[in-house]
DNA sequence: ACCTGAACACCGTTCAAGT
DNA sequence: ACCTGAACACCGTTCAAGT
């Protein structure tokens, strides 16, 4: 009905992402719906579809932000350290970020994109930047290792850590005598890196 | 309206699970809805709620079956082999099972249960049986390792492999120069075990 | 005791109609 | 050009009413 010129396209874009972030932090990932986002910013649901193809695209934009934050967290903590301490600080920063109460982390792996299409460039860039940071840290521990091998290892670690934090962080392993998420993540990373050292 | 005595409670239970399995295999995980299950077995949606608390419980029962099948697959392949070949066969069996086209595998990590309650015993048993099998295989490669340590490592591997297969199996890593899921899984398992050997 | 089916309170997404 | 809000085609779950 009414014409709204209160916000430019870019302002609206930010409004949507900010509202979405607030929703998941206050009410959890399952509360993130088109109708609730719209109501929170005072627009109708239809308006969202002028800016985004669908809800999944909003999720993807939020996730891009999350990757940036995780990058920043790791980067800051790792900065001043060397060698093994670098690895310790990385894993600590990562674990801190992936607390199951961190709804943004939960959202990061909720996204399901259609099988036929690849992830958009702006998302891939964020992910690559983070993977490259992990690779740099690994490289400092494995000086003899080639770049291709290091990149591969960084990706293996990234996926593996995700598995541990999503399974053990939720209570999917309750009652099966698993140790804590932190112990599992540290076991993974130290033994994996140790194995790489041995191989290299 | 009509009273149905066509099926006993147990028969109905199996009907529901079989129909659910058919639905996900034919139409994918997202097609698994109460209404579709009910229509496929010729009952009304409400009937499902006599047998199950909610849809998630149906998912959990399907997943218990899936864990049994995965156990069987690994058990059969691994049986005749020893040492390193045992590990090779395990990972091959696992990778074969976790093809992204395997809807039952996809469903395995779709289940979200409420944070306050733990997984039911009948589910935990299936998972423990599988984890114990993995532990046995690890034990044969790491004879000096204590049982508690082996169990821990089996759980780390289980979660890590899940991470790799769910991230790299979908196209979440397209465009970031990742190698194949198989290469990543093998890198994980060989280097992790190698690291454990070095530590033990 | 078991089953129905209408009802409730939601979804994502579209699109004619308005300004 | 942008926004609305009703509409469409769905959800999970409940529960009075029927047999």
């Amino acid at each position: 009905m009414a014409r709204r010129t209160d916000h430019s396209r870019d302002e609206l874009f930010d409004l949507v992402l900010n509202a979405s972030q607030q929703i998941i932090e206050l009410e959890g990932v399952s509360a993130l719906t088109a109708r609730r986002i719209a109501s929170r910013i005072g627009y109708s649901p239809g308006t969202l579809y002028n800016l985004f193809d669908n809800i999944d695209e909003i999720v993807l934009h939020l996730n891009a932000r999350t990757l940036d934050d995780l990058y920043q967290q790791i980067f800051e903590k790792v900065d001043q350290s060397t060698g093994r301490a670098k690895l310790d600080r990385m894993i600590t920063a990562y674990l801190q970020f992936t607390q199951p109460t961190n709804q943004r982390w939960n959202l990061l792996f909720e996204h399901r994109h259609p099988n036929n299409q690849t992830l958009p460039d702006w998302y891939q860039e964020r992910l690559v930047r983070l993977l490259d940071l992990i690779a740099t840290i690994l490289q400092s521990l494995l000086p003899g290792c080639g770049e291709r091998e290091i990149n591969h290892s960084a990706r293996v670690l990234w996926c593996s850590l995700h598995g541990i934090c999503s399974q053990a962080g939720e209570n999917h392993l309750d009652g099966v005598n698993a140790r804590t998420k932190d112990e599992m993540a540290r076991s993974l990373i130290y033994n994996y890196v140790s194995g790489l050292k041995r191989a290299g």
Side-chain angles (χ1 to χ4, degrees), chain A:
Chain A
M1 288 297 187
R3 175 164 178 185
R4 297 283 299 262
T5 44
D6 302 6
H7 304 102
S8 72
R9 197 178 173 84
D10 286 352
E11 284 169 341
L12 211 42
F13 184 94
D14 284 344
L15 275 180
V16 170
L17 288 197
N18 292 339
S20 302
Q21 194 165 325
Q22 284 166 22
I23 288 168
I24 62 165
E25 274 162 9
L26 293 171
E27 306 172 71
V29 165
S30 64
L32 188 65
T33 68
R35 284 174 165 84
R36 288 207 223 197
I37 298 168
S39 111
R40 187 170 262 268
I41 62 173
Y43 281 79
S44 82
T47 298
L48 299 181
Y49 293 86
N50 290 335
L51 301 233
F52 303 92
D53 283 344
N54 48 46
I55 286 285
D56 242 25
E57 204 187 326
I58 297 178
V59 170
L60 209 54
H61 278 284
L62 275 178
N63 286 346
R65 282 188 176 185
T66 305
L67 290 178
D68 281 348
D69 277 14
L70 181 53
Y71 174 90
Q72 208 57 41
Q73 294 282 324
I74 293 178
F75 184 81
E76 281 169 13
K77 290 234 178 166
V78 153
D79 200 22
Q80 305 280 354
S81 55
T82 55
R84 163 77 179 241
K86 238 182 160 64
L87 195 64
D88 284 339
R89 293 198 180 193
M90 180 191 85
I91 184 75
T92 301
Y94 182 88
L95 287 172
Q96 214 167 334
F97 199 87
T98 63
Q99 279 165 200
T101 52
N102 183 351
Q103 300 297 342
R104 296 176 64 201
W105 157 260
N106 291 336
L107 191 69
L108 198 52
F109 300 102
E110 207 81 350
H111 176 254
R112 304 267 173 263
H113 63 281
N115 270 359
N116 42 5
Q117 71 191 38
T118 178
L119 289 163
D121 288 348
W122 50 263
Y123 186 83
Q124 284 181 21
E125 278 164 25
R126 304 325 224 291
L127 185 51
V128 167
R129 193 166 78 116
L130 184 51
L131 290 169
D132 283 351
L133 177 58
I134 298 173
T136 308
I137 296 164
L138 287 179
Q139 183 74 79
S140 72
L141 286 163
L142 302 159
C145 224
E147 195 189 336
R148 287 171 52 87
E149 210 54 36
I150 288 288
N151 282 336
H152 178 227
S153 301
R155 280 145 184 79
V156 170
L157 261 188
W158 168 255
C159 294
S160 301
L161 284 173
H162 152 57
I164 286 172
C165 291
S166 67
Q167 288 298 107
E170 306 289 315
N171 33 11
H172 287 110
L173 290 179
D174 281 6
V176 299
N177 303 314
R179 296 190 197 161
T180 66
K181 185 192 76 170
D182 286 30
E183 284 177 288
M184 292 178 68
R186 287 182 199 282
S187 166
L188 165 75
I189 199 164
Y190 294 140
N191 285 302
Y192 180 66
V193 169
S194 165
L196 287 171
K197 261 185 193 154
R198 206 189 196 188

